[in-house]
Structures are given as structure tokens and as C-alpha cells.
Amino acid sequence: MGDTVFLDRDGVINQDSAAYVKDPSEFEFIPRSPEAIALLTQSGFQVIVITNQSMIGRNLVPKESLEAIFEKMKAGVEAAGGRITDIFYCPHVDEDRCSCRKPEPGLIFQAQKKYQIDLGRSFMVGDSTKDILCARNAGCAKAILVKTGNGAGALAELSRNPIPPDHVAEDLYDAACWIIQSARG
Ligand SMILES: [Mg+2]
């Protein structure tokens, strides 16, 4: 298996919503994101989604709805020729003080254990400061910020951060192209 690319979901793969994505009908791909995942798959990367879903801990949505949303996402990616190997999500809220809610690295460590991932060769793509910090906390090789979703706000925040992202991409497709180049480097 090739190197691993961890992807945040909301604002990276699909359009984010302040009211949460609560049902498959509310799940809408960001343009070119299924094709971006297909490009990574076909270039030999393993793609794993790492996502905070506090709507579960807030009892806004049953787990079955979240699973149905994941199925829709995986099916859309497969239709484009890509593959999502697995999805790890944090169901908690801040007050739970868990070790898996990004920026904590717990979800990435769960994936690392299950798939024996060499984190020092892994990439993380996100649209929020917490994604970049999660990548650093987990020891991922490269952290990429996309401008979709919360990316613009995060960019302003991260420019004041002592640990800026390794790359800023227009969207996931642009990020995928950069990752492929970077891994060949
Ligand atoms: Mg996000």
C-alpha cells in the first residue's frame, strides 16, 4: 500500500454547513473533489477520512444518518474512480475532553494502528486550523490547507501561527496534484 492521505470531510470533500450536514440529501460534493480522490487512488495513495461529527454527541442526528451520508460520499467517489479506504469520526463535543476530537490526534492514531501507517510519510488535508494542528500533533509529514470551506478564515488565523501549513491549495483537486508532485519529489 502506498502512502496515506488523510482528508477532513466538511469544507474539503463536501460543502460545509453551519447547521451541520444531517442527511444524505444535504450532502453536496465540492466541485472536483471526487475526481481529486480518484486521482490520489489511481496514483497509489490510500485515502482515509478523519472528521469531527459533534452532531452525534449533541444528539442532533442518529448514527444511522451519519452512516448513510458516508455511504453516499463513498459511492460518489467510487463512481468517479476513487476509493476511500476508511472513515474515522469523533462523535464527541468539546466538553467530553476526548483524545479524538481534532486538533487532538486520536483519530489519526486509530487509523495508524488499524492500517500500520507510516505517519512520517503521510499527508493531511483540511480547511481549518484544527486540521493543521491535528496533522502536527500526529506527526504527519505534510499538512495542506484548502481555501474551500473555512479555508479563507483559517488562512488568516494560520498566518499568525508559528506552524503554517506546508501548502495552501485552491481546493482538494489542487491539493491532490501538489501531494502527488511532493511524494515524487
Ligand atoms: Mg472542515
Side-chain angles (χ1 to χ4, degrees):
M1 183 51 74
D3 296 341
T4 298
V5 180
F6 296 106
L7 302 180
D8 172 44
R9 197 195 77 177
D10 300 316
V12 175
I13 298 174
N14 59 282
Q15 307 288 359
D16 202 359
S17 168
Y20 301 101
V21 177
K22 300 182 293 299
D23 182 88
S25 66
E26 297 172 359
F27 180 92
E28 187 190 342
F29 280 112
I30 290 172
R32 305 203 296 174
S33 73
E35 291 78 10
I37 296 172
L39 189 59
L40 289 170
T41 302
Q42 287 157 19
S43 301
F45 290 91
Q46 165 169 262
V47 175
I48 294 179
V49 173
I50 296 289
T51 177
N52 286 351
Q53 293 297 333
S54 65
M55 65 179 190
I56 298 295
R58 293 178 212 283
N59 291 316
L60 293 172
V61 172
K63 273 185 186 171
E64 291 70 27
S65 299
L66 181 60
E67 302 287 348
I69 294 165
F70 287 155
E71 288 309 313
K72 181 178 180 181
M73 173 174 72
K74 285 196 277 189
V77 167
E78 279 165 26
R83 180 162 187 269
I84 292 172
T85 298
D86 211 338
I87 300 165
F88 294 82
Y89 73 90
C90 168
H92 305 111
V93 296
D94 277 336
E95 300 75 58
D96 291 331
R97 300 193 180 280
C98 64
S99 60
C100 55
R101 185 165 163 78
K102 294 180 288 184
E104 295 299 320
L107 293 178
I108 289 183
F109 290 159
Q110 285 175 31
Q112 194 273 333
K113 279 201 190 76
K114 186 168 174 183
Y115 295 101
Q116 285 87 48
I117 295 164
D118 181 354
L119 292 178
R121 296 175 57 88
S122 72
F123 298 81
M124 169 81 197
V125 183
D127 69 321
S128 297
T129 303
K130 60 180 181 284
D131 297 315
I132 304 304
L133 292 175
C134 173
R136 300 307 183 202
N137 289 337
C140 296
K142 305 279 186 195
I144 299 109
L145 183 78
V146 287
K147 290 185 186 172
T148 51
N150 298 311
L155 199 53
E157 211 174 305
L158 283 165
S159 66
R160 298 187 296 271
N161 192 296
I163 311 172
D166 295 290
H167 183 65
V168 178
E170 289 300 320
D171 59 10
L172 183 55
Y173 197 90
D174 185 21
C177 293
W178 186 85
I179 287 168
I180 291 163
Q181 286 290 334
S182 170
R184 280 188 192 136

